[in-house]
């Protein structure tokens, strides 16, 4: 009887030793492969006409999928998918897969009509030197177009440019506003002479400048009928 029991236990032991047992590394490999398959299926895009069916369900919306298009049954996105989705963007474009900036206001250096609110950038005329204090800015020339209330008195009236508010011709820095006959060519006052100065030799008097350009005698005697302009004295007749 004892001999039979011993033989029976030896048979059981030898049978257990001969049965194949999976090694630890093989078990870990199988678990990792199953995990990859699960992960791949969880974020699989809907690129096929008939979505794959999985045994599990997705309880959480995938952020890279357009809201409202996530299929929790198939764990697939039925709409737009953006790998670079930014959760911090408040105005995400699912069609362009990029963040559309919101502008608080147009850049003052851009011509108002050329500002693109969608891209928040200037698509037309840009003036880096724009002066916000200018009330008449020229976007074509990128400079302030001054409004002139009056012409500068130092400029010849016909040479004053009202568009640029500057003198484009004759300029006299010494212009005398009290002169009624100003000469813009010589930048001096052209006096109006009612008569010649008696101290000047008559033929030497310059009527244009109202001054003597020749012989001058301070001691001229208007009562002398025979004045000598060379010697500046009266030439008396001998009796």
């Amino acid at each position: 009887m004892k001999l039979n029991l011993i033989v029976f236990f030896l048979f059981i032991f030898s049978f257990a030793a001969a049965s194949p047992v999976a090694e630890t590394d093989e078990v870990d490999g199988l678990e990792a492969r199953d995990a990859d398959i699960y992960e791949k299926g969880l974020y699989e895009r809907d690129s096929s006409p008939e979505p794959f069916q999985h045994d599990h369900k997705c309880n959480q919306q995938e952020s890279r999928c357009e809201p409202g298009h996530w299929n929790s049954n198939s764990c697939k996105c039925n709409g737009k998918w953006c790998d670079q989705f930014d959760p911090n963007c408040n105005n995400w474009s699912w069609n362009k897969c990029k963040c559309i900036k919101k502008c608080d206001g147009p850049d003052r250096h851009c011509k108002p009509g050329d500002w693109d609110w969608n891209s928040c950038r200037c698509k037309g005329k840009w003036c880096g030197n724009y002066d916000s204090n200018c009330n008449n800015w020229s976007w074509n020339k990128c400079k302030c177009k001054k409004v002139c209330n009056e012409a500068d008195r130092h400029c010849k009236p016909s040479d004053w440019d009202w568009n640029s508010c500057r003198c484009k011709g004759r300029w006299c820095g010494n212009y005398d506003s009290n002169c009624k006959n100003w000469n813009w060519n010589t930048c001096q006052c052209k006096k109006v002479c009612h008569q010649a100065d008696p101290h000047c030799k008559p033929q030497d008097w310059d009527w244009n400048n109202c001054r003597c350009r020749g012989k001058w005698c301070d001691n001229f005697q208007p009562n002398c009928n025979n004045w000598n302009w060379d010697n500046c004295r009266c030439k008396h007749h001998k009796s």
Side-chain angles (χ1 to χ4, degrees), residues 99-112:
C99 188
I100 302 298
K101 297 180 180 179
K102 288 185 178 180
C103 309
D104 296 330
D107 194 299
R108 61 189 180 90
H109 298 93
C110 180
K111 186 178 180 180

Side-chain angles (χ1 to χ4, degrees), residues 46-91:
D46 190 6
S47 58
S48 60
E50 297 180 359
F52 291 98
Q53 297 295 330
H54 299 277
D55 295 336
H56 54 79
K57 292 184 179 181
C58 307
N59 297 324
Q60 186 176 0
Q61 159 81 32
E62 167 58 42
S63 61
R64 291 171 291 180
C65 179
E66 185 180 4
H69 295 277
W70 179 253
N71 191 331
S72 59
N73 293 324
S74 62
C75 293
K76 296 173 67 175
C77 183
N78 295 328
K80 293 289 184 179
W81 178 278
C82 296
D83 286 324
Q84 68 272 30
F85 173 74
D86 182 6
N88 296 321
C89 176
N90 295 324
N91 192 31

Side-chain angles (χ1 to χ4, degrees), residues 174-176 178-194 206-211 213:
N174 62 335
Y175 173 76
D176 184 5
N178 295 321
C179 177
K180 296 181 180 180
N181 193 28
W182 183 263
N183 188 330
W184 289 101
N185 293 325
T186 59
C187 284
Q188 61 183 5
C189 187
K190 185 178 180 181
K191 297 180 180 179
V192 178
C193 309
H194 298 290
D206 183 1
W207 287 94
N208 292 325
N209 296 298
C210 290
R211 65 191 183 98
R213 290 183 176 270

Side-chain angles (χ1 to χ4, degrees), residues 111-143:
K111 186 178 180 180
D114 294 338
W115 181 255
D116 184 8
W117 287 90
N118 293 325
S119 61
C120 287
R121 64 190 185 94
C122 188
K123 290 191 174 181
K125 193 63 181 178
W126 177 276
C127 293
N129 61 335
Y130 173 75
D131 183 6
S132 58
N133 295 322
C134 176
N135 295 325
N136 194 28
W137 183 263
S138 173
W139 288 100
N140 293 328
K141 298 180 179 179
C142 283
K143 66 179 182 179

